[in-house]
Amino acid sequence: MACWYEGPLAAFDTETTGVDVETDRIVSAAVAVQDAPGTRPRVCRWLVNPGVPVPAEATAVHGLTEEHLQRNGRWPSPVMEEIARELGEQAALGRPLVVMNAPFDLTLLDRELRRHRASSLDRWFASQPLCVLDPRVLDKHLDRYRKGRRTLTDLCAHYGVVLEGAHDAAADALAALEVVRAVGRRYATRLERLTPVELHTLQTGWHAAQARGLQAWFARSGSDEVVDPAWPLRPELPAAA
């Protein structure tokens, strides 16, 4: 029987107006599904008119201008429900969901659902829990002493994954999926006996430990930045935007 990293995987990614999960908005998203390594992936894409200004700094990252989104994007409300339904269907089919830096993308989607649908992401996983594989968390735990950044671009370079069109939601989702397969193969002796569900549970603790380490580093550096240990979804703040 093939190991999980040689089997079916789905992946999710977003592009946004910024990096604050409580106030920023999704402008594009993609879900990619691959049944086995080397097979042609199926990709769903969404383009969103967020209804708020798109900062030039965000456009410089993903290339999506406010004018383009107003002209070609859809209103957020139906899009957010479609994305959540797609993720729920992948969970129901038993496909692990690859999300690079999951607390960002999943929390942002949850806030958009609350904002536009009076709903939440948890609602879509009532019957089948979400099972997430986060390449950033996996890599930091399995190769914790390696120096350097661990962005998706960095991980692709480290694991020999081709990333064409970085900061396009579909391209990033597919690259993250391939990185997870590469991580699985490289650390097969440590991962092959674990199920994706077991890995999901383990990553919760691994991410919390990583957050504590980063928080301690910020404290030593004199920074007051706060690192949230929650994974893969941050709890709702009382005054979320």
Side-chain angles (χ1 to χ4, degrees):
M1 185 176 178
C3 298
W4 59 264
Y5 48 82
E6 303 293 358
L9 293 175
F12 171 59
D13 190 75
T14 66
E15 297 301 327
T16 68
T17 59
V19 297
D20 188 330
V21 296
E22 303 299 340
T23 59
D24 280 305
R25 312 298 174 90
I26 294 173
V27 297
S28 69
V31 174
V33 179
Q34 188 182 46
D35 293 326
T39 61
R40 185 180 181 87
R42 303 182 297 280
V43 181
C44 295
R45 296 176 173 86
W46 294 269
L47 192 66
V48 186
N49 176 359
V52 299
V54 180
E57 296 83 357
T59 297
V61 173
H62 49 59
L64 298 171
T65 65
E66 187 172 338
E67 179 183 11
H68 177 77
L69 293 168
Q70 289 175 347
R71 187 171 61 249
N72 300 289
R74 297 169 57 202
W75 288 114
S77 180
V79 171
M80 299 311 151
E81 181 161 353
E82 288 173 16
I83 296 171
R85 181 182 298 114
E86 178 66 25
L87 297 184
E89 289 174 358
Q90 295 306 320
L93 291 168
R95 292 193 183 102
L97 182 66
V98 175
V99 191
M100 174 72 185
N101 192 17
F104 178 79
D105 293 82
L106 295 181
T107 303
L108 194 55
L109 175 59
D110 175 78
R111 302 312 191 252
E112 288 278 56
L113 287 166
R114 295 175 187 273
R115 182 179 293 120
H116 296 291
R117 303 296 301 184
S119 181
S120 68
L121 190 57
D122 288 339
R123 171 177 171 253
W124 296 91
F125 302 98
S127 58
Q128 180 65 39
L130 187 63
C131 178
V132 175
L133 299 172
D134 187 332
R136 186 171 182 270
V137 174
L138 291 170
D139 174 72
K140 285 189 74 173
H141 177 77
L142 294 163
D143 194 2
R144 66 184 68 185
Y145 299 114
R146 187 177 82 249
K147 296 186 182 299
R149 290 160 51 85
R150 300 186 194 235
T151 66
L152 180 59
T153 300
D154 298 317
L155 295 186
C156 285
H158 183 71
Y159 289 99
V161 172
V162 175
L163 173 55
E164 296 180 354
H167 299 296
D168 169 83
D172 286 357
L174 288 167
L177 188 152
E178 292 298 336
V179 167
V180 162
R181 292 199 189 281
V183 170
R185 294 180 191 121
R186 182 168 298 187
Y187 298 100
T189 57
R190 299 169 64 181
L191 296 176
E192 62 185 356
R193 295 181 183 177
L194 294 169
T195 68
V197 173
E198 290 170 332
L199 266 177
H200 177 101
T201 301
L202 287 169
Q203 286 170 100
T204 303
W206 294 346
H207 179 270
Q210 292 162 10
R212 288 193 298 270
L214 183 56
Q215 189 72 74
W217 185 85
F218 281 138
R220 291 194 300 271
S221 303
S223 171
D224 58 0
E225 186 167 348
V226 176
V227 184
D228 196 321
W231 183 96
L233 181 66
R234 296 175 186 168
E236 184 189 14
L237 294 177

